[in-house]
Amino acid sequence: MSQNVSAFVKYRVIKRRVGEAKPYAVDESEHNCFLIEGMNAMWNLICGTASETQFNSANAHIGVGDGTTAESESQTGLQGTNKYYKGMASGYPKGPADAGDKKAVFRSVFGATEANFAWNEVTVANGNSDAAKNMLRIVASKGTKSSGEEWTAEVEVQFQNPA
């Protein structure tokens, strides 16, 4: 009997109006589409077999876009016309020591003038553009961000053994 390790990705958007502490909405969904380029980058980092940019606080970015093309592991970034890559919030990404066993959490805060368009797709990349290695791509409509709003995108990646 074949049993495989699986990956679980939780994508959360916390929506606030500028100047308000309490969010007016939190939108969360679950996915699992890793991109080949991202999986290869992770293996290269684990094995130390190639020069690879880390997905760390200096390099990791969450990218959001308006693309609606279905996820495919062969994609190499966001597919939409409008896209915006934002660096990590202070203290992110969090690895197992802070996020819990078997997981990492990436978080970026998009200010009032950033990424004001329909949020239909998200990625985690080791740079600030589609030219970077994108770990994953998720297609999920989270609404349209407007000027005067601050949205926080959080992507939690967890590996799981079969039950």
Side-chain angles (χ1 to χ4, degrees):
M1 174 162 76
S2 174
Q3 294 188 4
N4 300 316
V5 171
S6 63
F8 170 79
V9 179
K10 190 181 294 184
Y11 172 36
R12 180 181 306 116
V13 176
I14 304 162
K15 303 174 183 182
R16 290 183 182 83
R17 291 178 187 83
V18 171
E20 295 181 8
K22 185 176 179 179
Y24 70 84
V26 177
D27 188 342
E28 186 173 289
S29 50
E30 299 172 3
H31 308 271
N32 65 354
C33 186
F34 284 84
L35 302 181
I36 292 170
E37 72 173 3
M39 291 185 283
N40 289 342
M42 288 187 286
W43 281 120
N44 285 335
L45 288 165
I46 290 167
C47 296
T49 56
S51 176
E52 196 72 66
T53 302
Q54 296 179 14
F55 290 85
N56 61 15
S57 61
N59 302 313
H61 286 69
I62 291 180
V64 295
D66 62 359
T68 57
T69 301
E71 298 116 336
S72 170
E73 69 176 9
S74 63
Q75 293 164 340
T76 57
L78 297 172
Q79 303 297 300
T81 302
N82 294 298
K83 38 186 111 169
Y84 194 98
Y85 284 79
K86 180 74 182 220
M88 292 290 99
S90 179
Y92 285 86
K94 293 189 182 296
D98 298 312
D101 286 343
K102 305 182 288 182
K103 71 172 114 173
V105 178
F106 300 85
R107 177 185 277 190
S108 298
V109 179
F110 295 79
T113 61
E114 300 170 324
N116 292 325
F117 48 76
W119 283 29
N120 294 328
E121 59 180 338
V122 68
T123 189
V124 174
N126 64 359
N128 64 357
S129 73
D130 288 340
K133 301 284 178 71
N134 290 262
M135 181 187 303
L136 52 86
R137 179 170 174 266
I138 295 167
V139 176
S141 177
K142 299 297 183 186
T144 299
K145 183 179 173 297
S146 300
S147 175
E149 294 184 331
E150 177 184 280
W151 286 14
T152 299
E154 186 174 277
V155 178
E156 177 183 312
V157 180
Q158 181 173 359
F159 293 109
Q160 304 176 91
N161 286 311

